[in-house]
Amino acid sequence: MTAPALDLLCIGNAIVDILAPVSQETLTALGSPLGSMTLIDAAQAAEIEAKITPEQVMGGGSAANTAVVASRLGARVGYLGKVAADEAGLGYARDLTAQNLLYPSVPVEAADRPTARCIILVTPDGQRTMHTYLGICTEFGPEDVDQVAVSSAAVTYMEGYLFDKDRAQAAFILAAETAHKAGRRVALTLSDTFCVARHHDAFRALVAGHIDILFANEAEICALYGTEDFDSAASQAGADASLVVLTRAEKGAVILSEGKKFVVPTEPVKVVDTTGAGDAFAAGFLAGLANGHGLEACATLGNQSAAAIITRMGARPAEDFALKA
């Protein structure tokens, strides 16, 4: 087996993020559950955008956020995600390459749908409620899996949000099989309880059959294993994946590996915007892993990375982001 050229290759929905602070009353009027992710169409996106004042517009998408933070931590990172060759998509590609990421995905010319966007409404308590118009990114399929890039990455990390369509599910399996054939590891983040509910059986099969490293929060892992008992869900996950990384907000993280369990606390911080907290945690953990850190040290770096993100608006690190893996 050759040495990996990349520490991490992330695969996910390539989405432009539009962040806006809103009142709880505005969110209630939209009928969106606090902290949820709702899929919307183009007309709904236009309606919501007419009611808000954006504070930031930037490249986004869960796995892309992880890729950017991991790169800032010194990891060698690539990203695969589908965009149109429109202004937003070309800007998205330029942004990733400017941040030293390998981005072999080619923007689609004359696409029938535009580059995706996610409207992130942030309430005064720091909670983010997302409304996502997926555009062309949902057309990601097996042909979009760059098998050379996958084979060259120590870990291929896949985003659960992308798992909605059959072709994307086939792409996940192809990526996992390609990575394993090259002697590499495969990671998955469950992303959202609604994703798990929509494709519960397919997620269970993917985790049991193809995933080495599983990331989830408390609600997501309980949804995957159909229980409200966190310890039971964690135990079942540990039987399916060789490394399970579970976040519990202010309770810190729980790591399960080879029959061992580690509980890693986190330090309290003033929350401004929880957008990207899980993405940043995964980035810190995987960057630590790439540098040969122990699991507890990886989780600590994950906690620190998440803390650096949630104390400001947006899911990407600020210029003063100074952590090192």
Side-chain angles (χ1 to χ4, degrees):
M1 183 176 68
T2 59
L6 294 173
D7 298 311
L8 179 64
L9 178 72
C10 298
I11 301 176
N13 282 327
I15 301 173
V16 173
D17 281 348
I18 301 169
L19 282 86
V22 298
S23 66
Q24 181 62 56
E25 290 73 23
T26 298
L27 192 65
T28 301
L30 289 171
S32 302
L34 181 68
S36 66
M37 193 286 285
T38 303
L39 295 177
I40 59 175
D41 58 25
Q44 290 171 305
E47 180 183 352
I48 294 172
E49 288 183 53
K51 297 177 180 178
I52 63 173
T53 301
E55 184 169 300
Q56 293 185 24
V57 178
M58 65 189 75
S62 174
N65 294 336
T66 295
V68 169
V69 175
S71 179
R72 290 286 294 275
L73 288 166
R76 300 167 300 168
V77 186
Y79 177 75
L80 301 178
K82 198 160 192 168
V83 298
D86 52 21
E87 182 178 353
L90 295 175
Y92 191 94
R94 287 193 300 269
D95 176 57
L96 290 181
T97 54
Q99 299 191 64
N100 298 316
L101 270 70
L102 172 70
Y103 183 56
S105 298
V106 178
V108 179
E109 298 283 351
D112 58 353
R113 284 190 283 175
T115 298
R117 71 192 71 179
C118 180
I119 306 168
I120 303 169
L121 307 181
V122 184
T123 42
D125 59 359
Q127 284 287 334
R128 87 283 186 266
T129 303
M130 298 183 290
H131 299 78
T132 304
Y133 170 55
L134 291 172
I136 197 172
C137 75
T138 61
E139 296 179 10
F140 193 98
E143 71 280 5
D144 298 305
V145 175
D146 187 313
Q147 296 185 57
V148 172
V150 171
S151 297
S152 73
V155 176
T156 291
Y157 172 88
M158 303 185 296
E159 169 195 323
Y161 283 129
L162 182 57
F163 202 62
D164 263 316
K165 293 195 174 181
D166 290 345
R167 294 183 69 254
Q169 293 181 22
F172 273 35
I173 292 171
L174 174 61
E177 290 176 344
T178 301
H180 286 148
K181 187 179 296 184
R184 314 303 191 192
R185 290 199 282 182
V186 180
L188 171 73
T189 176
L190 292 181
S191 294
D192 187 90
T193 55
F194 296 100
C195 293
V196 174
R198 284 195 297 272
H199 306 290
H200 180 267
D201 292 347
F203 266 120
R204 284 291 301 269
L206 179 69
V207 170
H210 300 280
I211 301 304
D212 304 300
I213 308 171
L214 178 64
F215 289 89
N217 65 25
E218 187 168 1
E220 292 158 3
I221 203 66
C222 286
L224 183 66
Y225 291 100
T227 178
E228 296 181 0
D229 185 330
F230 172 78
D231 290 333
S232 173
S235 177
Q236 293 179 73
D240 282 343
S242 57
L243 176 56
V244 178
V245 186
L246 305 174
T247 56
R248 306 185 78 185
E250 70 279 358
K251 296 178 183 178
V254 174
I255 316 300
L256 296 98
S257 176
E258 298 179 350
K260 296 180 181 179
K261 178 179 179 180
F262 307 93
V263 178
V264 182
T266 189
E267 296 294 326
V269 295
K270 180 176 173 55
V271 176
V272 173
D273 173 16
T274 57
T275 307
D279 307 334
F281 177 91
F285 190 96
L286 291 167
L289 208 62
N291 275 273
H293 296 342
L295 297 180
E296 290 175 279
C298 289
T300 297
L301 184 60
N303 284 333
Q304 292 170 346
S305 299
I309 293 298
I310 66 177
T311 52
R312 58 182 295 278
M313 286 287 287
R316 299 281 176 89
E319 290 303 316
D320 61 357
F321 184 80
L323 299 177
K324 290 187 181 297

